[in-house]
Amino acid sequence: MPLPTILLLEDELPLARLLSEALERSGYRVQHYADGHRGLQAARQHPPDLLLVDVMLPGLDGFSVVRALRTTHAELPVLFLTARSTTADVVQGFEAGGNDYLKKPFSLEELLLRVRELLRRTAPATTTTPEVVPLGRYQFRPLRQELWLDGACTARLSARENELLLLLVQHRNGVVDRRTCLRRLWGDDNFFTARTMDVYVSRLRKHLRQDASLHILNIRGVGFKLIE
């Protein structure tokens, strides 16, 4: 079986060498480029199993690289690396099409954990994930990351919105523990990540607002509950 390929876009060459060596020791094949334009071209010509991309790249920034790739490679797992760490920056990364976001400085152990978990989460879906999930008046299509209403697509979900809604749907009318949700979807449960998750819950509420029978409740001190 061929080794999983990781495309690394990082312009800090000492860091790129360090990451490449750590990833290769862990059983991955690494391709490295130091600018956004060359990285985008490489990803289009030979799609990797995972894209590891710094936000601040010369030529074409990481957000722009991922937005361009998402038009043709919707399923490509993307992990952003960045020193920019405000909630707005993190949300922008997810909106651009990222699946995960790792703030510098970070440990190699954490990076390798995030890579493993991201490859596991984004592995080809099995038959246990239904193509269409009835949700009130909506049809939730998790494999296509879409919400449909009255025969039309009303929302194309980001990867993180899709994962969060699927988790809530799987536990509909029951409480999803906040810490479990954070660890499963984000990999940690710190305060900063929790604020980011709250942003995504708010976005899901907006996507579902055309059906008054659906509610995502915040159960204070416990978690979230999707009521249908």
Side-chain angles (χ1 to χ4, degrees):
M1 181 179 295
L3 297 177
T5 298
I6 295 178
L7 178 59
L8 172 63
L9 306 187
E10 172 60 67
D11 63 323
E12 296 181 32
L13 296 184
L15 176 60
R17 285 193 293 269
L18 179 65
L19 297 182
S20 295
E21 291 172 0
L23 289 164
E24 289 171 349
R25 286 197 303 268
S26 297
Y28 302 105
R29 178 173 175 265
V30 180
Q31 295 177 317
H32 169 246
Y33 293 91
D35 70 87
H37 287 295
R38 292 184 64 199
L40 176 59
Q41 183 180 16
R44 284 173 166 167
Q45 291 177 345
H46 303 287
D49 294 295
L50 183 142
L51 176 62
L52 189 59
V53 55
D54 187 21
V55 170
M56 303 301 293
L57 290 172
L60 193 66
D61 67 80
F63 291 154
S64 298
V65 169
V66 174
R67 288 192 191 98
L69 279 175
R70 282 298 183 232
T71 63
T72 54
H73 298 78
E75 303 302 320
L76 175 64
V78 174
L79 173 57
F80 280 115
L81 304 177
T82 185
R84 297 165 56 174
S85 59
T86 68
T87 300
D89 290 329
V90 175
V91 171
Q92 184 180 358
F94 288 131
E95 287 301 298
N99 299 89
D100 206 349
Y101 201 104
L102 189 56
K103 299 181 290 296
K104 298 179 180 178
F106 52 81
S107 67
L108 290 175
E109 290 79 8
E110 182 177 9
L111 172 70
L112 295 172
L113 175 62
R114 296 293 185 99
V115 167
R116 286 195 300 270
E117 286 300 302
L118 187 51
L119 286 170
R120 179 188 62 79
R121 292 203 317 257
T122 56
T126 66
T127 55
T128 58
T129 301
E131 183 176 348
V132 178
V133 179
L135 181 58
R137 294 173 50 211
Y138 291 92
Q139 286 188 332
F140 173 35
R141 303 187 178 189
L143 301 183
R144 297 173 60 177
Q145 299 182 194
E146 295 175 345
L147 277 172
W148 285 62
L149 181 66
D150 299 331
C153 179
T154 60
R156 288 181 171 84
L157 306 176
S158 68
R160 191 50 50 88
E161 288 172 342
N162 194 70
E163 291 175 333
L164 181 56
L165 182 57
L166 183 59
L167 183 60
L168 291 170
V169 166
Q170 290 170 341
H171 297 82
R172 73 178 80 195
N173 297 317
V175 177
V176 177
D177 178 76
R178 186 181 187 89
R179 178 168 294 182
T180 299
C181 185
L182 285 166
R183 288 188 175 277
R184 183 177 300 182
L185 302 187
W186 271 268
D188 60 56
D189 59 357
N190 62 41
F191 175 73
F192 182 84
T193 305
R195 290 182 60 193
T196 302
M197 185 174 71
D198 291 336
V199 172
Y200 277 86
V201 170
S202 296
R203 291 179 183 271
L204 288 179
R205 288 184 178 122
K206 291 179 180 178
H207 290 321
L208 299 172
R209 63 188 172 190
Q210 295 185 63
D211 187 344
S213 70
L214 296 173
H215 305 279
I216 301 177
L217 302 181
N218 186 354
I219 310 300
R220 187 175 180 84
V222 180
F224 299 98
K225 184 176 184 179
L226 173 63
I227 295 180
E228 181 179 2

